Amino acid sequence: MEIGILKEKDLHEKRIAVSADTVKKIISLGHKITIEAGAGESSYISDEDLASSGATITNNPSDINKSDIILKVTPPNKE
């Protein structure tokens, strides 16, 4: 299963839907995770930390749209 994580667009939202440890756990279950570049910046989680945990980092948000599941903190209609 492919899981996508989008960068939060709400200026007040500082969280990301996954941590580097969560990425490792999900990857270990056989899933693939693609994360929009910069998604963890406000939470002090670098793209490098997420990539070293097994995630694919993309600069193209439309890559996330191909995912089976998309995880976000803020619902899309709130942005």
Side-chain angles (χ1 to χ4, degrees), residues 22-33:
T22 304
V23 169
K24 286 180 189 176
K25 289 177 186 176
I26 293 170
I27 298 287
S28 74
L29 295 172
H31 304 293
K32 178 183 176 189
I33 296 183

Side-chain angles (χ1 to χ4, degrees), residues 11-77:
L11 297 176
H12 301 291
E13 184 56 70
K14 304 298 183 201
R15 298 171 292 172
I16 181 174
V18 294
S19 66
D21 287 338
T22 304
V23 169
K24 286 180 189 176
K25 289 177 186 176
I26 293 170
I27 298 287
S28 74
L29 295 172
H31 304 293
K32 178 183 176 189
I33 296 183
T34 303
I35 300 176
E36 184 178 355
E41 287 176 351
S42 295
S43 297
Y44 304 102
I45 302 171
S46 69
D47 288 343
E48 293 79 19
D49 288 342
L50 295 166
S52 68
S53 295
T56 299
I57 307 299
T58 183
N59 288 313
N60 187 353
S62 64
D63 291 342
I64 306 293
N65 294 335
K66 301 171 189 172
S67 301
D68 298 307
I69 296 173
I70 297 175
L71 301 178
K72 287 187 52 51
V73 175
T74 306
N77 62 349

